[in-house]
Amino acid sequence: MSRFLDDLSVTKLGQSASALRSAVAAALTGAPRWVKQLLMLILDAGALIAAAASIPWLLGVPLSELMFIQDHQVFVAIFLPLGLALLWALQFYAMVIRTLDHSAVSRMVLAGIGLSALAMLIYLDRTGLAKAAALGVLTGGMAVGLAGLGRIAARMVLMPRGLGRGQGAPLLIYGAGRAGHQLASALAEDPQFQPVAFIDDDPALSNMRVGALRVHPAKELDALSRRYRTKKIAIAIPSLSRRRRREIMDRLVERAFEVLSIPAFADLMAGNLAVSDLRKVEVDELLGRDVVDLSRSRLHRWFEGRVVMVTGAGGSIGSEVARQLGQLAPARLILFEVSEVALYTIHQELLQSGLADGVEIVPVLGSITDRQRLEAVFAAQAPGGIDAVFHAAAYKHVPLVEANALAGIVNNALGTEALAEAAGRHRVGRFVLVSTDKAVRPTNVMGATKRLAELVVGAAQERHPGTVFSMVRFGNVLGSSGSVIPLFERQIMRGGPVTVTHPEIIRYFMTIPEASQLVITAGLQANGGEVFVLDMGAPVKILDLAKRMIRLSGATVRDAEHPDGDIEIRITGLRPGEKLYEELLIDNSVVATPDPKIFCARETALSDADLAPLLTRLSTAAATGETEAALAVLAEAVQGYRRSTEAGDLSAGQEISAETGGQVIQMPQGRGQ
């Protein structure tokens, strides 16, 4: 019993001490800066006095007699104020105790040298040079050592848990270099994470210590995960090549680690980012897409001082094209969009971001199916007119367009015809259509209407040779509203199931910034009527993508081999009009361009004379709500289109677009690709 009571009293004593230390830490942390500086000044004064007293004491003078020795009093009277002034000059009192780093060590060394020199000069008045130098070094060294110990003690009070011993989630750090050490030091103050160990591929670092943490080889990943009961790991190697970074991330994701990435190291070092900015690795970093660095070349200077218009400016591609164009110094950037919310969002973003300084940004609400509105927009830019149009407005969700075929035909095909005609009539310099891989041998209405839009633009080149018309075709973009990735993210957040339409379905992926940069570049390379195809890299199996995203979230896949997994993948069957794989070329004939990521396709097209009557019939069928007739014309115009049985429109038999008294009953326009 007595032993129990002893243990209990020790425990209570420890708890009381811990509580007292926490209270002191809280009080000091919240104190004004001048109070903290005054406390450190008092501690340093004590350190200097103690150092000054140590030399006579070491020489045999009793401490009780020191204060009565006149020489010692003179020494302290000179050494103390000048020493404190030296420390102030070295910005000792500008240092933040909680974030002591290598710069603090440098200041300590300089302070030691300075205090030693000061003590030596004072001793020279009483003894020879050799002895004064020795006594000066001893005094200065002791003084700076005691000052350093005072700061270490203050750091222990302010940060009682120490590096790697907090209460946050255990975190492994991949990379024991400078960035990893800086991250671990920053995490020492953050309650969210607790760094527990470094992982590094350099065998020379194995079993060494960086700060308070040990460095382990990558082969010990699983053992460390079990030991510390964590699946969280941060990659802290900014110098990694993208290929090596993907290899490491693939390995970590396969082991179901939740992978975090540090902010830009320069920002972390400069204190511009908090540790809370540690972010989860995005799925695009696992898909093998390299960053395209399209420096502002002589080619892109074409836009300087010109008037540029983007349709679908609030959509995924349209908004990014607008952002990129805003950096190329056009005189005026016209944002054309049917969605008020989307237009307001991109307009405000460009105004507030500073990307478009000096650029006049003109937001225009309107539909590409409204010929009167288009005419007004183009006429308003006279006399100089519009120099370039990037046409990204479209309905793009395959199942929705399949069930609303007439709306898709009116917007994607007839809307493109109205826009191209207005651009040609007003002698726009360049017209670029943003197209899709679904336009190649389409099996759905969306793809067929986009292919017809390509044919319309090709015919417009024949009709309006004064304008350079071109098309840019590519696959899926990561993060767009129509991409499968946002759907998977929502399903994973709900705990599943993640739905995949077919186990063998594959798709090409490209990041939105990369696609937008290449669209702009391809449009500048055009001479008239070309179809440009972007290099989409290797196709991605959607089932593998779903598995990667589940593992990237820190969860495990539940299947026959792993019945205890977290999230199930459910195969739902192909949707109406959906293909197992998409293609980028119709005739499999391409030629290279100056940009290695852009190819020019040589494809057959319809002449303006052949296409015009088809468009007239299509417009009539759409205006009278004749779905079957419209789909028949679409099949006649688009070679290779195989209509699905689900294609149709709820408004069949009703007029959905007609001109009455000069007014247009408008179909809503789609957001950008």
Side-chain angles (χ1 to χ4, degrees):
M1 176 63 73
S2 61
R3 183 176 179 180
F4 171 76
L5 291 175
D6 290 341
D7 291 343
L8 185 61
S9 62
V10 170
T11 301
K12 287 184 176 180
L13 182 62
Q15 291 174 344
S16 300
S18 177
L20 178 62
R21 186 168 58 174
S22 298
V24 172
L28 290 177
T29 302
R33 182 71 182 146
W34 68 269
V35 172
K36 300 175 186 176
Q37 290 176 325
L38 179 60
L39 289 174
M40 292 311 303
L41 192 69
I42 293 171
L43 286 175
D44 288 343
L48 294 181
I49 293 173
S54 63
I55 300 302
W57 177 72
L58 289 174
L59 295 175
V61 178
L63 292 176
S64 59
E65 297 179 11
L66 276 178
M67 65 181 66
F68 302 109
I69 300 176
Q70 187 176 5
D71 281 353
H72 181 68
Q73 294 172 354
V74 172
F75 182 89
V76 171
I78 299 173
F79 185 66
L80 181 60
L82 291 180
L84 292 176
L86 176 64
L87 296 181
W88 187 277
L90 290 172
Q91 296 186 325
F92 256 51
Y93 306 106
M95 292 189 295
V96 179
I97 297 298
R98 291 171 297 164
T99 57
L100 293 177
D101 56 12
H102 66 280
S103 66
V105 176
S106 300
R107 288 177 186 156
M108 290 281 186
V109 172
L110 290 175
I113 295 172
L115 291 173
S116 297
L118 176 62
M120 182 187 72
L121 290 174
I122 300 173
Y123 282 126
L124 272 175
D125 190 47
R126 297 164 178 80
T127 185
L129 178 61
K131 189 174 181 180
L135 293 174
V137 170
L138 284 174
T139 304
M142 288 183 181
V144 78
L146 291 171
L149 286 175
R151 278 158 177 76
I152 293 172
R155 181 181 171 91
M156 292 176 65
V157 171
L158 292 174
M159 301 173 60
R161 63 185 177 93
L163 182 62
R165 295 165 54 189
Q167 301 302 313
L171 177 74
L172 300 171
I173 299 177
Y174 204 117
R178 189 181 180 196
H181 186 209
Q182 177 68 18
L183 177 62
S185 299
L187 283 170
E189 298 181 63
D190 191 88
Q192 186 178 357
F193 298 108
Q194 172 194 351
V196 291
F198 284 112
I199 306 291
D200 204 285
D201 294 320
D202 186 352
L205 295 177
S206 291
N207 296 318
M208 294 184 68
R209 284 191 173 272
V210 175
L213 303 181
R214 192 177 216 175
V215 182
H216 300 262
K219 65 182 180 181
E220 295 182 14
L221 259 173
D222 294 330
L224 289 169
S225 176
R226 290 191 297 270
R227 182 191 306 173
Y228 294 108
R229 298 180 181 178
T230 183
K231 280 293 184 179
K232 295 182 182 294
I233 188 166
I235 298 179
I237 316 178
S239 60
L240 276 178
S241 67
R242 286 184 63 83
R243 180 176 179 179
R244 179 62 183 145
R245 184 179 179 83
R246 286 196 298 267
E247 290 175 356
I248 291 174
M249 286 191 296
D250 280 338
R251 191 195 322 165
L252 296 175
V253 170
E254 284 297 321
R255 288 171 163 81
F257 275 96
E258 182 180 344
V259 186
L260 304 173
S261 184
I262 64 169
F265 182 57
D267 288 333
L268 194 63
M269 289 292 292
N272 297 330
L273 294 175
V275 176
S276 57
D277 289 321
L278 269 175
R279 61 175 181 84
K280 286 189 176 182
V281 169
E282 300 295 336
V283 68
D284 59 294
E285 297 180 64
L286 297 177
L287 290 178
R289 296 300 306 181
D290 289 323
V291 174
V292 175
D293 181 17
L294 294 180
S295 57
R296 303 311 173 202
S297 63
R298 196 174 302 169
L299 181 69
H300 293 91
R301 292 180 183 173
W302 184 89
F303 291 102
E304 293 179 4
R306 297 182 183 266
V307 179
V308 187
M309 174 175 169
V310 180
T311 71
S316 305
I317 288 294
S319 61
E320 182 61 27
V321 168
R323 294 183 194 100
Q324 304 264 348
L325 289 171
Q327 300 179 62
L328 299 177
R332 186 177 302 127
L333 179 60
I334 302 171
L335 309 175
F336 193 88
E337 171 64 59
V338 74
S339 167
E340 180 190 23
V341 174
L343 180 61
Y344 176 81
T345 301
I346 184 60
H347 182 225
Q348 290 301 308
E349 178 188 332
L350 291 178
L351 288 177
Q352 296 171 15
S353 67
L355 292 177
D357 287 346
V359 180
E360 180 187 358
I361 305 173
V362 182
V364 179
L365 274 173
S367 168
I368 57 171
T369 63
D370 185 345
R371 294 177 185 269
Q372 263 193 326
R373 184 66 169 160
L374 291 175
E375 181 66 27
V377 171
F378 281 96
Q381 307 308 314
I386 297 176
D387 295 291
V389 172
F390 288 87
H391 176 32
Y395 287 145
K396 60 183 179 180
H397 295 272
V398 170
L400 289 180
V401 178
E402 203 69 9
N404 299 271
L406 290 178
I409 289 170
V410 169
N411 192 74
N412 293 0
L414 299 179
T416 298
E417 190 275 330
L419 182 65
E421 180 62 24
R425 191 166 58 253
H426 287 273
R427 301 187 67 79
V428 168
R430 292 181 177 273
F431 183 104
V432 183
L433 168 68
V434 176
S435 191
T436 171
D437 57 359
K438 293 175 178 60
V440 178
R441 283 178 275 278
T443 58
N444 51 67
V445 176
M446 194 281 279
T449 57
K450 291 297 288 182
R451 175 55 184 159
L452 183 53
E454 291 180 353
L455 296 173
V456 163
V457 172
Q461 182 66 73
E462 181 181 341
R463 193 164 59 257
H464 301 288
T467 297
V468 176
F469 289 89
S470 61
M471 299 137 271
V472 183
R473 185 189 296 155
F474 54 90
N476 299 273
V477 288
L478 297 168
S480 74
S481 60
S483 171
V484 71
I485 290 174
L487 173 63
F488 284 175
E489 288 175 340
R490 291 192 297 271
Q491 291 174 336
I492 291 170
M493 286 181 65
R494 291 197 301 263
V498 173
T499 56
V500 176
T501 58
H502 194 283
E504 299 301 322
I505 193 168
I506 62 172
R507 289 292 182 266
Y508 293 94
F509 286 95
M510 176 178 281
T511 64
I512 293 176
E514 180 183 7
S516 301
Q517 289 171 339
L518 292 175
V519 164
I520 294 170
T521 302
L524 291 177
Q525 293 179 356
N527 294 313
E530 297 98 332
V531 176
F532 291 101
V533 178
L534 304 187
D535 176 11
M536 298 296 296
V540 177
K541 200 171 183 179
I542 299 300
L543 182 60
D544 292 341
L545 174 62
K547 292 178 179 178
R548 283 182 171 188
M549 291 187 65
I550 291 172
R551 291 171 181 144
L552 191 60
S553 71
T556 56
V557 178
R558 186 193 314 152
D559 53 24
E561 296 181 7
H562 307 90
D564 297 327
D566 301 314
I567 297 177
E568 172 194 4
I569 297 177
R570 186 173 297 168
I571 305 299
T572 59
L574 290 173
R575 300 175 298 176
E578 188 174 32
K579 294 195 292 186
L580 279 179
Y581 60 94
E582 301 290 356
E583 305 166 272
L584 288 169
L585 299 173
I586 293 176
D587 298 331
N588 292 319
S589 176
V590 295
V591 294
T593 72
D595 193 297
K597 291 276 188 177
I598 302 173
F599 300 91
C600 184
R602 299 187 181 277
E603 297 179 348
T604 56
L606 290 176
S607 66
D608 183 44
D610 292 334
L611 186 60
L614 292 173
L615 291 176
T616 300
R617 288 165 50 199
L618 189 64
S619 180
T620 301
T624 56
E626 299 177 40
T627 305
E628 291 301 319
L631 289 172
V633 175
L634 191 62
E636 186 178 346
V638 178
Q639 183 181 5
Y641 169 46
R642 301 193 306 275
R643 175 186 170 185
S644 72
T645 56
E646 290 83 0
D649 199 291
L650 297 175
S651 62
Q654 301 178 18
E655 294 191 6
I656 62 171
S657 178
E659 294 189 9
T660 308
Q663 297 297 315
V664 178
I665 302 174
Q666 300 173 21
M667 290 297 302
Q669 176 204 2
R671 296 277 297 276
Q673 286 288 334

